[in-house]
Amino acid sequence: MVSLVRGANYAIMAASFCPSLPHHFKPTPIVKFPQSSFSFKVFSSQSSPADETPTRVGFLGLGIMGSPMAQNLIKAGCDVTVWNRTKSKCDPLIDLGAKYKPSPGEVAASCDVTFAMLADPESALIVACGEDGAARGMSPGKGYVDVSTVDGPTSKLINGQIKETGALFLEAPVSGSKKPAEDGQLIFLTAGDKSLYEKVAPYLDIMGKSRFYLGDVGNGAAMKLVVNMIMGSMMTSFAEGLLLGEKVGLDPSVVVEVISQGAISAPMFALKGPSMVQSKYPTAFPLKHQQKDMRLALGLAESVSQSTPMAAAANELYKVAKSHGLSDSDFSAVIEALKVKLKD
Ligand SMILES: NC(=O)C1=CN([C@@H]2O[C@H](COP(=O)(O)OP(=O)(O)OC[C@H]3O[C@@H](n4cnc5c(N)ncnc54)[C@H](OP(=O)(O)O)[C@@H]3O)[C@@H](O)[C@H]2O)C=CC1
Ligand SMILES: O=CCCC(=O)O
């Protein structure tokens, strides 16, 4: 079953699930509407599921996405313990009131639920299952929520290791980039233990604007990869159009404007177009991660013999862009890979 929850009042939610905030705001459980995949949260001053909600939250991985996500939890008054491979990235969060532990295992041991936002399958595996990994600190009653973008097999591996400890697992990759992370407007694509999904829903609602529950582990990863595969191909197609337009004498800013008013308008084009026209690529979503997602999506397609020629071509372009040193630029920098001079 797929469920989506929308529109939560940030302050009221935070007050209900984060102990340092006033107790008189208490939400009722999610109200689900039959015949619809939508459900909405409503609030009252009566009883609350808060008693069963974990209150000590761990956060592993404080990069572009993890930092603002953890920050939103802290600002909402949650009891947050952080860890990051590069310790200095913990400091601004510690200044905001977060606790610190020197390893993922120690974070997990000291928290009821631990979130992880890591770069790729390799880092997600190391942090969850490595020597000092989160699994070391897991035990019955705890939960591990991996919000990184990884492939299904990796997610299933982590699920297996976490479940062996008696703890629960939820995969919950996100749609939405740096700004939605800062604004608490992410979209969570979750799958795994339903009871953990329900327990952590208040936290997802602090960090995001909606959440889907998609069933078995692997479905969240698949949904995320399908979405990002489409996004990656859209971006390369947009880049080609901008450059072709420019070469035949069109003003690329006008191309962006025309696109924004028509049937192919997309927030991504409106957001990235103006800076791409100026050859500027301030990093929101690193190009190396987009290429990783194309690679993982192609692997997913391969696993079910689905033909994906557009995505395969786009992936090659991201690889070329990486080889030009653009890994840490925004993924819109893929346009640079098309600026090679061709002979007439
Ligand atoms: N940026 C975006 O717009 C979005 C990104 N995502 C996905 O979210 C995840 C994180 O993205 P983002 O925050 O942008 O990425 P960043 O590159 O900014 O952060 C990556 C994080 O992973 C950590 N890390 C990397 N390798 C290792 C390792 N070997 N061991 C331990 N930790 C490691 C980094 O630690 P350190 O600081 O030490 O390098 C850092 O905390 C990725 O899976 C990405 O695909 C999903 C939606 C949007
Ligand atoms: O994984 C990155 C997604 C970026 C976005 O959804 O805007």
Side-chain angles (χ1 to χ4, degrees):
M1 191 194 76
V2 175
S3 65
L4 161 67
V5 177
R6 276 189 166 176
N9 178 314
Y10 184 103
I12 293 177
M13 245 174 8
S16 303
F17 295 99
C18 297
S20 64
L21 294 173
H23 265 303
H24 56 276
F25 293 114
K26 302 237 170 180
T28 58
I30 293 160
V31 175
K32 295 216 169 92
F33 295 93
Q35 318 282 342
S36 163
S37 62
F38 289 86
S39 55
F40 294 84
K41 221 176 237 308
V42 293
F43 299 95
S44 80
S45 57
Q46 307 298 308
S47 64
S48 155
D51 296 345
E52 291 188 25
T53 301
T55 53
R56 295 168 301 168
V57 184
F59 211 106
L60 311 173
L62 302 171
I64 292 170
M65 296 297 285
S67 287
M69 291 170 78
Q71 205 172 108
N72 280 335
L73 292 172
I74 297 163
K75 284 182 179 166
C78 301
D79 178 352
V80 179
T81 302
V82 295
W83 172 87
N84 192 66
R85 180 181 61 174
T86 307
K87 202 257 170 184
S88 59
K89 290 189 190 170
C90 297
D91 296 340
L93 296 160
I94 294 168
D95 290 345
L96 281 176
K99 296 168 186 153
Y100 170 77
K101 293 281 179 190
S103 74
E106 287 166 84
V107 171
S110 69
C111 292
D112 302 292
V113 62
T114 300
F115 289 87
M117 187 44 134
L118 286 319
D120 49 26
E122 295 73 25
S123 53
L125 258 178
I126 291 171
V127 169
C129 313
E131 208 176 322
D132 295 319
R136 291 240 163 185
M138 286 284 159
S139 55
K142 292 180 186 283
Y144 191 70
V145 184
D146 196 335
V147 293
S148 325
T149 303
V150 300
D151 54 318
T154 300
S155 201
K156 286 174 188 166
L157 257 177
I158 296 172
N159 173 54
Q161 296 277 310
I162 297 294
K163 297 299 265 295
E164 266 187 23
T165 70
L168 300 176
F169 177 77
L170 192 72
E171 65 176 5
V174 299
S175 210
S177 193
K178 186 178 176 204
K179 181 80 167 58
E182 288 166 356
D183 295 345
Q185 292 289 307
L186 295 169
I187 301 162
F188 286 92
L189 309 171
T190 78
D193 286 307
K194 188 79 187 275
S195 61
L196 180 57
Y197 169 71
E198 280 157 4
K199 271 187 177 176
V200 301
Y203 300 101
L204 303 185
D205 290 345
I206 288 168
M207 296 183 282
K209 67 175 178 185
S210 62
R211 48 184 155 89
F212 291 78
Y213 179 76
L214 301 164
D216 293 339
V217 173
N219 291 347
M223 180 68 85
K224 175 64 186 167
L225 293 179
V226 166
V227 171
N228 271 29
M229 183 187 84
I230 296 170
M231 188 177 80
S233 299
M234 278 172 68
M235 177 55 82
T236 54
S237 185
F238 182 54
E240 283 180 349
L242 287 182
L243 291 179
L244 174 61
E246 193 170 19
K247 218 163 216 172
V248 297
L250 301 175
D251 179 342
S253 298
V254 178
V255 174
V256 172
E257 176 62 22
V258 169
I259 288 173
S260 77
Q261 292 192 26
I264 63 161
S265 71
M268 181 177 87
F269 297 153
L271 187 72
K272 306 282 183 185
S275 48
M276 289 169 74
V277 164
Q278 297 175 53
S279 302
K280 290 187 179 145
Y281 316 105
T283 309
F285 182 36
L287 188 142
K288 65 185 175 195
H289 293 336
Q290 175 65 81
Q291 195 275 317
K292 172 255 306 179
D293 293 351
M294 298 307 281
R295 173 172 60 81
L296 297 179
L298 291 172
L300 177 65
E302 181 75 31
S303 73
V304 291
S305 301
Q306 174 61 48
S307 179
T308 49
M310 309 305 289
N315 182 44
E316 291 307 312
L317 211 53
Y318 288 105
K319 284 160 64 180
V320 172
K322 273 174 68 175
S323 74
H324 289 318
L326 295 165
S327 286
D328 293 318
S329 297
D330 189 71
F331 76 117
S332 50
V334 72
I335 194 172
E336 292 295 326
L338 292 164
K339 290 184 180 172
V340 285
K341 288 250 178 278
L342 297 179
K343 287 201 174 118
D344 292 330

